[in-house]
Amino acid sequence: MSPTKIIDCHCHAGPGDGLTGPWDTAAPLDKYMRRAAKAGIRKTVIFAAFHSDYFVANREVARIVASRPERFYGFAFVHAARDRGRVSQMVRVALKEYGFVGIKVHRHDARISREVCEAARAFRLPVLYDVAGEVSVAELLAEQYPDVNFILPHLGSFADDWRAQLTLIDHLVRHPNIYTDTAGVRRFDLLEQAVRRAGAHKILFGSDGPWLHPAVELAKVRVLGLPKEDENLILGGNLLRLITNVRSQPLSRPVRTVPSPPPQGELRDPWIQEASQH
């Protein structure tokens, strides 16, 4: 099994409107794109830098996606507290007008809400939720929303919290709808343990670009020394599986389904397939 492209599932893009640090000031892609091309990364999930108005920020990301739709996927960034009451509208616009395929939430903005999870359920979208070390929420998300797939990046903690990362591995093992990505994970032994215990089908390659070097992050996956089939899942197959059932129209009522099992056979980009049928 071989994915058509290596896919980076975690990259920021576009301007922020703060001056706290790079994360809310600007996420330029020029250098990232050169590095990614050299590393063989052919497609990237992008979402906004931190911003005071994610409706505006998502629109800027949409312009980047539209400039190279063969190169980018978009995720809609939402603020669970500040965007209360308009999350579903923001997600609908992101899907129908921008062609986005997921939702991004960060605990440093606000903790994830039922409103975000209900929007994800209605449109069958994966949610990339940075829990910033608060990995216990995985238990609640898995129990309350078993039909929504959650990617908790950085193995649960960009701050390199060993306890949080070790605990997240347990959640990966126990909950079919809890995933993680490799972005910024420095404790290689824990990444290795996550793959061994939870399986390659629960891990996605991510770089946290443009601020981290995508080739360095990719090298961590390569040196795991996995069978080619497992490596391909991490490098693109898992992301494709998680966005396969995205809806452009919401479900009229919640329908609980079991998350899709580890894929069998060749995985293809669902959006490329759809385009080829028209």
Side-chain angles (χ1 to χ4, degrees):
M1 185 184 73
S2 176
T4 56
K5 301 177 180 70
I6 297 176
I7 304 172
D8 180 350
C9 82
H10 190 141
C11 183
H12 298 265
D17 61 350
L19 292 171
T20 305
W23 47 87
D24 69 350
T25 303
L29 288 178
D30 291 350
K31 187 179 291 186
Y32 168 87
M33 294 297 288
R34 293 193 297 271
R35 291 169 170 173
K38 189 173 182 180
I41 298 165
R42 296 292 176 258
K43 197 133 187 175
T44 301
V45 172
I46 59 173
F47 35 79
F50 284 109
H51 202 283
S52 65
D53 188 340
Y54 285 126
F55 196 92
V56 172
N58 290 338
R59 188 169 59 214
E60 292 300 314
V61 171
R63 292 176 183 174
I64 298 171
V65 173
S67 71
R68 295 192 62 183
E70 82 291 347
R71 183 62 184 79
F72 296 118
Y73 292 114
F75 272 31
F77 213 139
V78 299
H79 191 298
R82 192 174 57 224
D83 293 324
R84 184 178 294 117
R86 69 170 186 169
V87 168
S88 182
Q89 175 197 3
M90 291 174 67
V91 171
R92 185 190 300 269
V93 168
L95 265 70
K96 297 191 69 174
E97 296 186 19
Y98 305 156
F100 286 8
V101 294
I103 299 172
K104 173 69 164 72
V105 189
H106 203 296
R107 188 172 73 83
H108 283 319
D109 281 336
R111 289 179 172 86
I112 197 168
S113 65
R114 285 191 177 274
E115 184 181 9
V116 172
C117 295
E118 294 292 344
R121 168 184 283 167
F123 292 99
R124 290 184 175 170
L125 291 169
V127 180
L128 185 78
Y129 174 40
D130 192 332
V131 298
E134 193 176 80
V135 299
S136 58
V137 72
E139 191 75 18
L140 305 177
L141 296 174
E143 290 181 352
Q144 296 295 309
Y145 296 94
D147 48 346
V148 177
N149 291 312
F150 297 93
I151 306 164
L152 310 186
H154 315 303
L155 200 56
S157 173
F158 186 76
D160 198 28
D161 183 339
W162 174 83
R163 294 175 182 83
Q165 292 177 331
L166 190 63
T167 301
L168 183 64
I169 295 173
D170 292 332
H171 290 292
L172 294 174
V173 172
R174 293 190 298 107
H175 301 305
N177 64 327
I178 301 297
Y179 297 80
T180 193
D181 75 26
T182 63
V185 178
R186 295 192 297 167
R187 294 185 181 273
F188 182 80
D189 287 348
L190 288 182
L191 183 60
E192 192 174 50
Q193 182 183 155
V195 176
R196 184 179 71 252
R197 292 180 56 200
H201 67 287
K202 301 301 291 295
I203 319 292
L204 287 75
F205 162 60
S207 73
D208 208 1
W211 304 304
L212 300 188
H213 197 304
V216 173
E217 298 303 304
L218 180 60
K220 294 187 302 190
V221 178
R222 298 292 199 195
V223 299
L224 285 167
L226 300 174
K228 197 64 178 177
E229 182 174 355
D230 287 348
E231 183 177 278
N232 286 343
L233 289 177
I234 295 174
L235 294 183
N238 291 332
L239 186 277
L240 293 179
R241 176 165 51 93
L242 294 183
I243 65 174
T244 294
N245 296 319
V246 172
R247 292 176 174 269
S248 59
Q249 296 291 339
L251 295 172
S252 57
R253 59 178 180 173
V255 177
R256 293 181 177 269
T257 58
V258 177
S260 55
Q264 303 293 324
E266 185 176 5
L267 286 164
R268 298 184 182 276
D269 187 326
W271 299 104
I272 292 178
Q273 286 182 14
E274 184 178 76
S276 66
Q277 293 171 0
H278 290 82

